[in-house]
């Protein structure tokens, strides 16, 4: 799994539209991301060029604790534009010292596809909750940012997922 580094943005009153970026131009990972300005959680849709498939990350604004025994899987609850979406199981990862959860198409293809498409076609908001965490992300610019990631990675996930 590639390690991604995102600049931690200063919280804003309103969330900016989705952003795009590239990590490690030598071995690129393309990403589209959105910040929840209230709690600084980050929702990421990425594509590691070598694998050519997408992933969905949620980064909490919480340090990874080496002494904590994290659950092997977490079943987050997603709602897109107020409609609950069946999500795949996510796995915990130490994301550059930050607590993160990740799912990809190998997690559970049908559930992953449903969630990926829902995020892509979101019109208003995307909310996620798991355990004691809750975040809300704007949908503004999600389709354009994710399309940019798909094109940079050389695939069209929205046709597949």
């Amino acid at each position: 799994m590639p390690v991604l580094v995102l600049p931690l943005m200063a919280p804003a009153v309103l969330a900016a539209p989705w952003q795009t970026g590239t990590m490690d131009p030598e071995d690129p990972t393309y990403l589209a991301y959105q910040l929840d300005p209230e709690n600084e959680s980050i929702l990421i849709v990425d594509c590691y060029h070598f694998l050519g498939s997408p992933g969905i990350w949620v980064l909490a604004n919480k340090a990874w604790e080496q002494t904590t025994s994290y659950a092997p899987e977490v079943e987050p609850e997603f709602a897109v534009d107020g409609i609950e979406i069946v999500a795949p199981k996510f796995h915990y990862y130490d994301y550059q010292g930050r607590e993160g959860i990740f799912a990809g198409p190998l997690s559970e293809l049908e559930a992953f596809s449903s969630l990926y498409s829902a995020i892509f076609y979101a019109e208003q908001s995307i909310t996620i909750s798991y355990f004691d965490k809750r975040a809300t992300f704007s949908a503004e610019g999600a389709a354009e940012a994710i399309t940019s990631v798909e094109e940079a990675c050389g695939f069209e996930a929205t046709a597949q997922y």
Side-chain angles (χ1 to χ4, degrees), residues 47-70:
C47 178
Y48 178 46
H49 184 71
F50 180 72
L51 297 176
S53 68
I56 300 171
W57 291 85
V58 179
L59 304 182
N61 186 20
K62 183 176 188 294
W64 181 265
E65 297 177 14
Q66 296 296 333
T67 58
T68 297
S69 178
Y70 290 95

Side-chain angles (χ1 to χ4, degrees), residues 16-21 30-34 45 116-117 119-123 138-152 155 158:
W18 278 64
Q19 306 295 310
T20 59
Y30 304 101
L31 55 137
Y33 59 95
Q34 171 64 246
V45 174
Y116 185 96
S117 293
I119 292 170
F120 182 90
Y121 291 109
E123 294 180 357
S138 168
E140 182 183 351
E144 295 82 5
I146 294 169
T147 297
S148 175
V149 166
E150 292 175 354
E151 289 172 353
F155 75 99
T158 49

Side-chain angles (χ1 to χ4, degrees), residues 17-129:
W18 278 64
Q19 306 295 310
T20 59
T22 303
M23 299 299 147
D24 188 4
E26 300 292 320
D27 188 22
T29 297
Y30 304 101
L31 55 137
Y33 59 95
Q34 171 64 246
L35 173 76
D36 176 333
E38 288 189 32
N39 66 19
E40 296 183 0
S41 293
I42 302 171
L43 175 60
I44 303 167
V45 174
D46 78 349
C47 178
Y48 178 46
H49 184 71
F50 180 72
L51 297 176
S53 68
I56 300 171
W57 291 85
V58 179
L59 304 182
N61 186 20
K62 183 176 188 294
W64 181 265
E65 297 177 14
Q66 296 296 333
T67 58
T68 297
S69 178
Y70 290 95
E73 300 176 329
V74 60
E75 295 183 36
E77 295 177 8
F78 277 85
V80 176
D81 298 337
I83 299 169
E84 190 172 320
I85 305 298
V86 174
K89 293 176 181 144
F90 279 61
H91 299 275
Y92 275 100
Y93 284 96
D94 177 349
Y95 189 101
Q96 296 276 317
R98 189 170 179 158
E99 184 182 292
I101 59 173
F102 170 82
L106 296 179
S107 300
E108 296 169 75
L109 183 58
E110 189 173 323
F112 179 84
S113 299
S114 175
L115 178 59
Y116 185 96
S117 293
I119 292 170
F120 182 90
Y121 291 109
E123 294 180 357
Q124 298 169 356
S125 65
I126 302 155
T127 61
I128 179 173
S129 61

